[in-house]
Amino acid sequence: MLTLYHAPQSRSSRIVRLLDELGVLDQVEIRIVTIARHDGSGGADPANPHPEGKVPLLVHDGVEIWESSAIILYLTELFPDAGLGRPIGHPERGPYLSWLAWYGDVMEPVMVFKIAGLSHRLLDVTFRGVGEMTARLSGQLSKTPYILGNTFSAADLLLSSTFVWMPDATPDVPAIRDWMARCEARPSAARQVAYDKAHAAA
Ligand SMILES: N[C@@H](CCC(=O)N[C@@H](CS)C(=O)NCC(=O)O)C(=O)O
């Protein structure tokens, strides 16, 4: 039994999209919950068991999995047939794990600090900044069409979700813009938007 706690137009939207890409939307119960939004609207939902009131949260046979990158790794291993993860022994396994972790440990903090207008030497030393983040992405994407190589993976889905969420923050670099266009041309992108629109009232 798999349950995803989801708030439309939030970080859990990318997990709905992943379920679609995996072809398993019908095998997961999606429970729509409210969350506290940055604009002060909404609020934590008592129906959401996430200890911090956040989404996404995946529950599999009573076991909770939280944090987007962990959920993505979990789901791509549970449903390997779509080829969106990279199994142990695959030459792209190391980069797959690394980009998933890099998202949460570097990319997300860097973007949040930038949008919050925060700047501090310790933040720069620890996470670097938007310039370095952009260089890291474009360094890979100028060599290969997707972040791991020649085929789309769940790492592309996770990393690109940042700029789906904040299009104005997309670096004006051809390799990144072209990669975003490739990722967003996938039918799952439009279906995810339609899904959230249909459930937006929650
Ligand atoms: N690093 C976490 C972040 C989760 C997160 O902050 N989710 C937001 C939605 S965009 C949330 O639930 N916010 C409600 C709150 O902070 O109470 C992940 O990627 O899963």
Side-chain angles (χ1 to χ4, degrees):
M1 171 76 184
L2 277 163
T3 306
L4 175 70
Y5 290 84
H6 168 53
Q9 283 147 10
S10 78
R11 286 174 175 88
S12 54
S13 297
R14 55 199 177 199
I15 308 299
V16 173
R17 183 175 171 192
L18 176 65
L19 294 172
D20 181 1
E21 285 275 0
L22 293 170
V24 298
L25 266 173
D26 59 343
Q27 296 180 47
V28 180
E29 183 193 353
I30 299 181
R31 287 198 196 153
I32 306 293
V33 293
T34 61
I35 50 166
R37 303 269 177 180
H38 293 163
D39 62 3
S41 66
D45 196 324
N48 179 7
H50 191 300
E52 298 157 41
K54 292 181 180 179
V55 294
L57 176 72
L58 182 72
V59 181
H60 187 197
D61 292 337
V63 176
E64 294 177 358
I65 305 107
W66 67 98
E67 289 298 322
S68 298
S69 47
I71 292 171
I72 287 171
L73 181 61
Y74 194 92
L75 285 171
T76 52
E77 295 193 338
L78 194 60
F79 300 107
D81 292 352
L84 291 178
R86 297 294 183 269
I88 291 173
H90 191 291
E92 292 167 2
R93 171 74 173 178
Y96 179 58
L97 297 183
S98 301
W99 284 113
L100 290 184
W102 185 83
Y103 167 81
D105 293 348
V106 177
M107 189 177 190
E108 185 163 307
V110 163
M111 293 305 295
V112 169
F113 296 142
K114 169 78 181 165
I115 286 156
L118 290 177
S119 143
H120 190 284
R121 194 182 126 67
L122 186 58
L123 298 180
D124 291 343
V125 167
T126 308
F127 301 104
R128 311 290 192 267
V130 171
E132 289 89 343
M133 180 203 78
T134 301
R136 201 76 172 77
L137 287 173
S138 64
Q140 182 60 43
L141 293 168
S142 56
K143 287 187 282 191
T144 56
Y146 295 102
I147 205 74
L148 299 181
N150 290 323
T151 53
F152 180 82
S153 74
D156 294 290
L157 191 155
L158 178 61
L159 296 168
S160 68
S161 71
T162 307
F163 304 127
V164 172
W165 192 33
M166 298 178 280
D168 294 346
T170 309
D172 196 14
V173 173
I176 296 179
R177 291 210 171 271
D178 293 351
W179 165 70
M180 282 302 296
R182 278 190 291 277
C183 293
E184 286 307 283
R186 297 177 72 81
S188 65
R191 285 198 296 259
Q192 186 274 307
V193 171
Y195 183 95
D196 272 2
K197 211 169 168 187
H199 295 85

mmCIF file of all heavy atoms in Angstrom, residues 102-132:
data_model
loop_
_atom_site.group_PDB
_atom_site.id
_atom_site.type_symbol
_atom_site.label_atom_id
_atom_site.label_comp_id
_atom_site.label_asym_id
_atom_site.label_seq_id
_atom_site.Cartn_x
_atom_site.Cartn_y
_atom_site.Cartn_z
ATOM 1 N N TRP A 102 22.908 16.195 -4.405
ATOM 2 C CA TRP A 102 23.347 17.566 -4.700
ATOM 3 C C TRP A 102 22.143 18.501 -4.760
ATOM 4 O O TRP A 102 22.217 19.652 -4.318
ATOM 5 C CB TRP A 102 24.109 17.571 -6.026
ATOM 6 C CG TRP A 102 24.721 18.880 -6.422
ATOM 7 C CD1 TRP A 102 25.917 19.395 -6.014
ATOM 8 C CD2 TRP A 102 24.183 19.832 -7.363
ATOM 9 N NE1 TRP A 102 26.141 20.606 -6.636
ATOM 10 C CE2 TRP A 102 25.104 20.902 -7.461
ATOM 11 C CE3 TRP A 102 23.010 19.886 -8.134
ATOM 12 C CZ2 TRP A 102 24.894 22.014 -8.295
ATOM 13 C CZ3 TRP A 102 22.798 20.982 -8.952
ATOM 14 C CH2 TRP A 102 23.733 22.030 -9.031
ATOM 15 N N TYR A 103 21.041 17.987 -5.273
ATOM 16 C CA TYR A 103 19.837 18.827 -5.326
ATOM 17 C C TYR A 103 19.510 19.366 -3.922
ATOM 18 O O TYR A 103 19.370 20.570 -3.717
ATOM 19 C CB TYR A 103 18.626 18.045 -5.889
ATOM 20 C CG TYR A 103 17.371 18.837 -5.627
ATOM 21 C CD1 TYR A 103 17.021 19.889 -6.457
ATOM 22 C CD2 TYR A 103 16.597 18.599 -4.490
ATOM 23 C CE1 TYR A 103 15.936 20.687 -6.171
ATOM 24 C CE2 TYR A 103 15.508 19.390 -4.200
ATOM 25 C CZ TYR A 103 15.182 20.428 -5.047
ATOM 26 O OH TYR A 103 14.119 21.238 -4.744
ATOM 27 N N GLY A 104 19.393 18.449 -2.959
ATOM 28 C CA GLY A 104 18.953 18.862 -1.623
ATOM 29 C C GLY A 104 20.040 19.555 -0.812
ATOM 30 O O GLY A 104 19.760 20.443 -0.006
ATOM 31 N N ASP A 105 21.287 19.147 -1.068
ATOM 32 C CA ASP A 105 22.382 19.663 -0.230
ATOM 33 C C ASP A 105 22.996 20.941 -0.775
ATOM 34 O O ASP A 105 23.689 21.651 -0.037
ATOM 35 C CB ASP A 105 23.490 18.601 -0.101
ATOM 36 C CG ASP A 105 23.014 17.381 0.685
ATOM 37 O OD1 ASP A 105 21.939 17.468 1.303
ATOM 38 O OD2 ASP A 105 23.712 16.355 0.662
ATOM 39 N N VAL A 106 22.815 21.194 -2.067
ATOM 40 C CA VAL A 106 23.438 22.380 -2.673
ATOM 41 C C VAL A 106 22.407 23.236 -3.423
ATOM 42 O O VAL A 106 22.214 24.412 -3.118
ATOM 43 C CB VAL A 106 24.586 21.975 -3.636
ATOM 44 C CG1 VAL A 106 25.185 23.206 -4.317
ATOM 45 C CG2 VAL A 106 25.667 21.193 -2.896
ATOM 46 N N MET A 107 21.758 22.629 -4.407
ATOM 47 C CA MET A 107 20.935 23.438 -5.315
ATOM 48 C C MET A 107 19.787 24.140 -4.592
ATOM 49 O O MET A 107 19.573 25.344 -4.760
ATOM 50 C CB MET A 107 20.387 22.545 -6.432
ATOM 51 C CG MET A 107 19.701 23.327 -7.533
ATOM 52 S SD MET A 107 19.163 22.205 -8.833
ATOM 53 C CE MET A 107 18.673 23.378 -10.095
ATOM 54 N N GLU A 108 19.059 23.379 -3.783
ATOM 55 C CA GLU A 108 17.911 23.997 -3.120
ATOM 56 C C GLU A 108 18.343 25.088 -2.140
ATOM 57 O O GLU A 108 17.794 26.197 -2.178
ATOM 58 C CB GLU A 108 17.025 22.934 -2.448
ATOM 59 C CG GLU A 108 15.781 23.556 -1.865
ATOM 60 C CD GLU A 108 14.672 22.556 -1.553
ATOM 61 O OE1 GLU A 108 14.291 21.779 -2.441
ATOM 62 O OE2 GLU A 108 14.191 22.571 -0.425
ATOM 63 N N PRO A 109 19.337 24.840 -1.269
ATOM 64 C CA PRO A 109 19.766 25.935 -0.391
ATOM 65 C C PRO A 109 20.254 27.153 -1.161
ATOM 66 O O PRO A 109 19.894 28.278 -0.821
ATOM 67 C CB PRO A 109 20.907 25.309 0.433
ATOM 68 C CG PRO A 109 20.739 23.843 0.316
ATOM 69 C CD PRO A 109 19.984 23.567 -0.931
ATOM 70 N N VAL A 110 21.043 26.941 -2.212
ATOM 71 C CA VAL A 110 21.566 28.075 -2.984
ATOM 72 C C VAL A 110 20.412 28.909 -3.548
ATOM 73 O O VAL A 110 20.417 30.144 -3.464
ATOM 74 C CB VAL A 110 22.501 27.572 -4.113
ATOM 75 C CG1 VAL A 110 22.738 28.642 -5.168
ATOM 76 C CG2 VAL A 110 23.827 27.108 -3.524
ATOM 77 N N MET A 111 19.402 28.239 -4.095
ATOM 78 C CA MET A 111 18.274 28.975 -4.673
ATOM 79 C C MET A 111 17.462 29.695 -3.601
ATOM 80 O O MET A 111 17.023 30.831 -3.800
ATOM 81 C CB MET A 111 17.370 28.006 -5.463
ATOM 82 C CG MET A 111 18.005 27.431 -6.712
ATOM 83 S SD MET A 111 18.626 28.676 -7.852
ATOM 84 C CE MET A 111 17.112 29.485 -8.349
ATOM 85 N N VAL A 112 17.269 29.042 -2.473
ATOM 86 C CA VAL A 112 16.479 29.670 -1.399
ATOM 87 C C VAL A 112 17.215 30.896 -0.858
ATOM 88 O O VAL A 112 16.612 31.967 -0.670
ATOM 89 C CB VAL A 112 16.167 28.648 -0.279
ATOM 90 C CG1 VAL A 112 15.587 29.348 0.945
ATOM 91 C CG2 VAL A 112 15.196 27.586 -0.790
ATOM 92 N N PHE A 113 18.532 30.779 -0.638
ATOM 93 C CA PHE A 113 19.287 31.935 -0.132
ATOM 94 C C PHE A 113 19.240 33.083 -1.132
ATOM 95 O O PHE A 113 19.109 34.242 -0.757
ATOM 96 C CB PHE A 113 20.745 31.553 0.165
ATOM 97 C CG PHE A 113 20.881 30.528 1.260
ATOM 98 C CD1 PHE A 113 21.838 29.521 1.183
ATOM 99 C CD2 PHE A 113 20.047 30.550 2.374
ATOM 100 C CE1 PHE A 113 21.959 28.565 2.193
ATOM 101 C CE2 PHE A 113 20.169 29.594 3.386
ATOM 102 C CZ PHE A 113 21.111 28.610 3.288
ATOM 103 N N LYS A 114 19.341 32.737 -2.405
ATOM 104 C CA LYS A 114 19.320 33.768 -3.449
ATOM 105 C C LYS A 114 17.974 34.500 -3.431
ATOM 106 O O LYS A 114 17.923 35.736 -3.421
ATOM 107 C CB LYS A 114 19.566 33.089 -4.801
ATOM 108 C CG LYS A 114 19.319 33.941 -5.995
ATOM 109 C CD LYS A 114 20.464 34.899 -6.221
ATOM 110 C CE LYS A 114 20.205 35.797 -7.430
ATOM 111 N NZ LYS A 114 21.114 36.943 -7.449
ATOM 112 N N ILE A 115 16.887 33.730 -3.402
ATOM 113 C CA ILE A 115 15.567 34.354 -3.457
ATOM 114 C C ILE A 115 15.279 35.153 -2.179
ATOM 115 O O ILE A 115 14.656 36.205 -2.218
ATOM 116 C CB ILE A 115 14.495 33.273 -3.730
ATOM 117 C CG1 ILE A 115 14.607 32.879 -5.192
ATOM 118 C CG2 ILE A 115 13.083 33.750 -3.429
ATOM 119 C CD1 ILE A 115 14.100 31.529 -5.498
ATOM 120 N N ALA A 116 15.808 34.673 -1.073
ATOM 121 C CA ALA A 116 15.624 35.389 0.198
ATOM 122 C C ALA A 116 16.562 36.597 0.297
ATOM 123 O O ALA A 116 16.460 37.380 1.243
ATOM 124 C CB ALA A 116 15.865 34.437 1.360
ATOM 125 N N GLY A 117 17.463 36.742 -0.664
ATOM 126 C CA GLY A 117 18.396 37.869 -0.641
ATOM 127 C C GLY A 117 19.449 37.752 0.451
ATOM 128 O O GLY A 117 19.972 38.756 0.926
ATOM 129 N N LEU A 118 19.739 36.517 0.844
ATOM 130 C CA LEU A 118 20.707 36.305 1.929
ATOM 131 C C LEU A 118 22.112 36.114 1.376
ATOM 132 O O LEU A 118 22.310 35.410 0.393
ATOM 133 C CB LEU A 118 20.326 35.059 2.735
ATOM 134 C CG LEU A 118 19.074 35.182 3.595
ATOM 135 C CD1 LEU A 118 18.782 33.851 4.260
ATOM 136 C CD2 LEU A 118 19.248 36.275 4.638
ATOM 137 N N SER A 119 23.036 36.726 2.049
ATOM 138 C CA SER A 119 24.428 36.555 1.633
ATOM 139 C C SER A 119 25.305 36.569 2.884
ATOM 140 O O SER A 119 25.152 37.409 3.774
ATOM 141 C CB SER A 119 24.752 37.688 0.660
ATOM 142 O OG SER A 119 26.032 38.143 0.831
ATOM 143 N N HIS A 120 26.163 35.599 2.969
ATOM 144 C CA HIS A 120 27.053 35.480 4.136
ATOM 145 C C HIS A 120 28.229 34.622 3.700
ATOM 146 O O HIS A 120 28.063 33.665 2.939
ATOM 147 C CB HIS A 120 26.304 34.816 5.310
ATOM 148 C CG HIS A 120 27.058 34.864 6.602
ATOM 149 N ND1 HIS A 120 28.120 34.041 6.882
ATOM 150 C CD2 HIS A 120 26.897 35.655 7.689
ATOM 151 C CE1 HIS A 120 28.581 34.303 8.094
ATOM 152 N NE2 HIS A 120 27.864 35.285 8.599
ATOM 153 N N ARG A 121 29.399 34.961 4.204
ATOM 154 C CA ARG A 121 30.590 34.202 3.805
ATOM 155 C C ARG A 121 30.443 32.703 4.090
ATOM 156 O O ARG A 121 30.832 31.861 3.298
ATOM 157 C CB ARG A 121 31.812 34.762 4.565
ATOM 158 C CG ARG A 121 33.107 34.298 3.988
ATOM 159 C CD ARG A 121 34.316 34.791 4.747
ATOM 160 N NE ARG A 121 35.187 33.687 5.130
ATOM 161 C CZ ARG A 121 35.876 32.947 4.274
ATOM 162 N NH1 ARG A 121 35.806 33.184 2.996
ATOM 163 N NH2 ARG A 121 36.637 31.954 4.692
ATOM 164 N N LEU A 122 29.831 32.391 5.238
ATOM 165 C CA LEU A 122 29.675 30.973 5.599
ATOM 166 C C LEU A 122 28.767 30.246 4.597
ATOM 167 O O LEU A 122 29.008 29.085 4.251
ATOM 168 C CB LEU A 122 29.118 30.856 7.028
ATOM 169 C CG LEU A 122 29.044 29.443 7.597
ATOM 170 C CD1 LEU A 122 30.410 28.766 7.611
ATOM 171 C CD2 LEU A 122 28.462 29.475 9.015
ATOM 172 N N LEU A 123 27.714 30.940 4.134
ATOM 173 C CA LEU A 123 26.832 30.322 3.128
ATOM 174 C C LEU A 123 27.606 30.074 1.832
ATOM 175 O O LEU A 123 27.501 29.008 1.220
ATOM 176 C CB LEU A 123 25.620 31.221 2.848
ATOM 177 C CG LEU A 123 24.685 31.489 4.022
ATOM 178 C CD1 LEU A 123 23.539 32.398 3.586
ATOM 179 C CD2 LEU A 123 24.131 30.191 4.602
ATOM 180 N N ASP A 124 28.403 31.067 1.434
ATOM 181 C CA ASP A 124 29.179 30.924 0.188
ATOM 182 C C ASP A 124 30.203 29.797 0.302
ATOM 183 O O ASP A 124 30.377 29.002 -0.616
ATOM 184 C CB ASP A 124 29.917 32.234 -0.125
ATOM 185 C CG ASP A 124 28.947 33.335 -0.513
ATOM 186 O OD1 ASP A 124 27.788 33.007 -0.839
ATOM 187 O OD2 ASP A 124 29.342 34.513 -0.467
ATOM 188 N N VAL A 125 30.869 29.761 1.459
ATOM 189 C CA VAL A 125 31.905 28.743 1.655
ATOM 190 C C VAL A 125 31.275 27.346 1.675
ATOM 191 O O VAL A 125 31.813 26.377 1.129
ATOM 192 C CB VAL A 125 32.674 29.021 2.969
ATOM 193 C CG1 VAL A 125 33.523 27.825 3.373
ATOM 194 C CG2 VAL A 125 33.538 30.261 2.816
ATOM 195 N N THR A 126 30.111 27.250 2.299
ATOM 196 C CA THR A 126 29.479 25.930 2.464
ATOM 197 C C THR A 126 28.788 25.451 1.190
ATOM 198 O O THR A 126 28.977 24.307 0.766
ATOM 199 C CB THR A 126 28.453 25.973 3.613
ATOM 200 O OG1 THR A 126 29.086 26.506 4.769
ATOM 201 C CG2 THR A 126 27.909 24.582 3.914
ATOM 202 N N PHE A 127 27.965 26.347 0.619
ATOM 203 C CA PHE A 127 27.115 25.906 -0.503
ATOM 204 C C PHE A 127 27.568 26.445 -1.856
ATOM 205 O O PHE A 127 27.092 25.990 -2.872
ATOM 206 C CB PHE A 127 25.666 26.363 -0.261
ATOM 207 C CG PHE A 127 25.070 25.831 1.019
ATOM 208 C CD1 PHE A 127 24.925 26.653 2.129
ATOM 209 C CD2 PHE A 127 24.672 24.507 1.115
ATOM 210 C CE1 PHE A 127 24.385 26.167 3.310
ATOM 211 C CE2 PHE A 127 24.137 24.008 2.289
ATOM 212 C CZ PHE A 127 23.991 24.842 3.396
ATOM 213 N N ARG A 128 28.458 27.435 -1.880
ATOM 214 C CA ARG A 128 28.775 28.231 -3.067
ATOM 215 C C ARG A 128 27.529 29.052 -3.444
ATOM 216 O O ARG A 128 26.622 29.198 -2.638
ATOM 217 C CB ARG A 128 29.238 27.362 -4.232
ATOM 218 C CG ARG A 128 30.311 26.353 -3.856
ATOM 219 C CD ARG A 128 31.649 27.012 -3.554
ATOM 220 N NE ARG A 128 32.737 26.068 -3.474
ATOM 221 C CZ ARG A 128 33.160 25.500 -2.330
ATOM 222 N NH1 ARG A 128 32.583 25.786 -1.194
ATOM 223 N NH2 ARG A 128 34.171 24.640 -2.348
ATOM 224 N N GLY A 129 27.482 29.550 -4.680
ATOM 225 C CA GLY A 129 26.374 30.438 -5.052
ATOM 226 C C GLY A 129 25.764 30.045 -6.378
ATOM 227 O O GLY A 129 26.069 28.979 -6.940
ATOM 228 N N VAL A 130 24.898 30.929 -6.884
ATOM 229 C CA VAL A 130 24.179 30.626 -8.125
ATOM 230 C C VAL A 130 25.160 30.437 -9.282
ATOM 231 O O VAL A 130 24.955 29.574 -10.143
ATOM 232 C CB VAL A 130 23.158 31.746 -8.438
ATOM 233 C CG1 VAL A 130 22.554 31.564 -9.816
ATOM 234 C CG2 VAL A 130 22.050 31.750 -7.387
ATOM 235 N N GLY A 131 26.229 31.217 -9.312
ATOM 236 C CA GLY A 131 27.217 31.097 -10.394
ATOM 237 C C GLY A 131 27.821 29.709 -10.437
ATOM 238 O O GLY A 131 27.898 29.079 -11.506
ATOM 239 N N GLU A 132 28.222 29.232 -9.284
ATOM 240 C CA GLU A 132 28.849 27.895 -9.228
ATOM 241 C C GLU A 132 27.816 26.807 -9.548
ATOM 242 O O GLU A 132 28.108 25.820 -10.222
ATOM 243 C CB GLU A 132 29.456 27.638 -7.853
ATOM 244 C CG GLU A 132 30.702 28.448 -7.552
ATOM 245 C CD GLU A 132 30.404 29.795 -6.912
ATOM 246 O OE1 GLU A 132 29.234 30.258 -6.988
ATOM 247 O OE2 GLU A 132 31.328 30.385 -6.336
#
